[in-house]
Amino acid sequence: MHSLEIMKPLDPTQFDRNRAEAATADRTYAGGMIRTQMNKRDWGIILFLAAIWGGAFFFIGVAVRHVPPLTYVWLRLTIASGGLWIYLWLKGERPGLPRHIWASIFLLALLNNAVPFVLIGWGEIHIASGLAAILNATTPIWGVVVAHFLTHDERMSPGKLGGVLLGVAGVAVMVGPSILSNIGNDALAQLACVVASLSYALAAVWARRYRKMGISPFAVTTGQLTAGAVILLPLSLAFDRPWTLPAPPLGAWAAIAALALVCTAFAYVLYFRLIAQAGATNAMLVTLLVPPIAIFLGGLFLDEALTAGDFIGLGLIALGLAAIDGRLLGRLQSLRGSSRFSALPETE
């Protein structure tokens, strides 16, 4: 009786307030648990991204023929971030990035935009866009190593270790001989693309943190591209002096616009969502599917040719990525087990 007397009467408006707060919380981004085994939707995003980024290497090859790398990257990031900010303005929304995370956003922009975009752009001045795409396919190889040491739920397995070794062998086939025999622009350009792949891998692992913070992939993309444009502006002004350069032709402007709006702004929203859902290691598998598209477009429109060693290296990298993914090995083991079972003599 005493406990009933001290109970406070229920506020009839409390339920309405709680419901309103819950509705507000539902509008914030909250990713589920990371899936180590991708579903059909994840693979659909990977295939779509591969088509977009395969075309990106072709567009880069067009752009850097007329615009220096630093200026091209600054234009790409400025147009991409501007497009996202205009989209937010038209919807009456804001990215919702807290002030305390902008330092980490600038680091993400450095690893995911400034460094790799400039290195690949410079590399494609000296090597074919298809070869640059093949070297970019080493990103998951680096990703396995980086994720093993910097995460707790994407550890290296024996299959992944074998995949890393195969991938390194593939890179050695393509890059090794030119480095040993001729330290020139071509070898350095290939190394630049490999370093860009390592930078992408570091960025993918770094981007995992925003899922736990409840920050949407769209907000991360907007902040990253804005920070990247800020980083590249003084570098472009200091080294390229773009005001002294001739105006690029219409084709170069079209390539940069496609790179900015489709291959950067739109594609990175999908990519960060994939990282939040399936993890960094799985998301980086998209780079395996990029080289065939880039090779086809480079050969069709840019008259580029690759050597037999380049295709052998791509094959080794493909085997390495298959080992990292684990599905092919698991399927072979299950087939072997079923055939062994069927071979057993029947007993009465």
Side-chain angles (χ1 to χ4, degrees):
M1 187 67 179
H2 178 70
S3 61
L4 293 176
E5 290 176 354
I6 63 173
M7 289 180 62
K8 294 181 179 180
L10 179 64
D11 183 355
T13 64
Q14 184 65 39
F15 176 76
D16 293 333
R17 286 200 300 268
N18 291 341
R19 183 173 59 181
E21 291 172 358
T24 303
D26 288 341
R27 287 193 292 267
T28 62
Y29 176 77
M33 295 294 293
I34 287 179
R35 294 187 295 270
T36 57
Q37 190 85 4
M38 289 188 291
N39 58 26
K40 292 181 179 179
R41 186 170 182 271
D42 296 333
W43 278 110
I45 293 176
I46 281 184
L47 291 172
F48 192 40
L49 282 174
I52 293 174
W53 282 339
F57 284 90
F58 164 73
F59 291 131
I60 293 170
V62 173
V64 296
R65 292 186 178 188
H66 305 282
V67 182
L70 291 173
T71 301
Y72 134 72
V73 174
W74 174 71
L75 287 171
R76 177 178 177 178
L77 295 177
T78 300
I79 295 172
S81 60
L84 292 179
W85 280 105
I86 291 173
Y87 176 79
L88 287 173
W89 177 72
L90 291 175
K91 293 189 65 178
E93 297 178 2
R94 301 176 63 182
L97 291 171
R99 291 184 179 180
H100 68 274
I101 72 161
W102 273 100
S104 70
I105 289 288
F106 267 86
L107 179 57
L108 179 65
L110 190 67
L111 293 172
N112 215 29
N113 296 148
V115 170
F117 284 7
V118 170
L119 289 177
I120 292 174
W122 179 81
E124 286 202 37
I125 296 175
H126 305 285
I127 63 175
S129 61
L131 178 56
I134 289 175
L135 295 172
N136 186 62
T138 62
T139 299
I141 308 298
W142 298 113
V144 169
V145 178
V146 172
H148 176 76
F149 290 104
L150 298 183
T151 70
H152 66 279
D153 55 352
E154 296 189 54
R155 310 294 289 180
M156 186 183 297
S157 64
K160 289 182 177 181
L161 178 59
V164 169
L165 295 178
L166 284 171
V168 171
V171 176
V173 168
M174 289 186 290
V175 181
S178 62
I179 291 178
L180 295 175
S181 61
N182 181 23
I183 304 297
N185 280 339
D186 287 356
L188 292 176
Q190 293 177 51
L191 275 179
C193 292
V194 172
V195 174
S197 299
L198 173 59
S199 185
Y200 278 135
L202 290 167
V205 173
W206 185 257
R208 287 165 39 107
R209 65 184 54 235
Y210 303 111
R211 169 180 166 271
K212 296 180 180 178
M213 296 179 184
I215 300 173
S216 73
F218 191 92
V220 174
T221 304
T222 304
Q224 172 202 252
L225 297 178
T226 302
V230 172
I231 293 172
L232 264 297
L233 176 59
L235 296 176
S236 172
L237 295 177
F239 292 99
D240 288 345
R241 303 177 66 195
W243 63 88
T244 65
L245 303 174
L250 183 61
W253 280 112
I256 292 173
L259 280 166
L261 299 176
V262 179
C263 304
T264 306
F266 176 67
Y268 269 118
V269 172
L270 292 179
Y271 182 62
F272 286 132
R273 184 174 296 276
L274 185 62
I275 290 176
Q277 293 173 349
T281 302
N282 283 330
M284 285 181 282
L285 292 175
V286 65
T287 53
L288 170 62
L289 303 175
V290 169
I293 299 172
I295 291 169
F296 173 77
L297 293 175
L300 188 63
F301 296 105
L302 301 178
D303 296 324
E304 297 176 345
L306 297 174
T307 66
D310 295 330
F311 288 99
I312 293 173
L314 175 60
L316 290 172
I317 293 172
L319 288 174
L321 292 176
I324 291 171
D325 183 46
R327 287 173 179 75
L328 180 61
L329 182 60
R331 184 162 297 180
L332 290 175
Q333 288 176 343
S334 63
L335 290 175
R336 182 183 302 177
S338 61
S339 62
R340 184 178 302 171
F341 179 79
S342 61
L344 292 176
E346 295 182 1
T347 59
E348 296 182 358

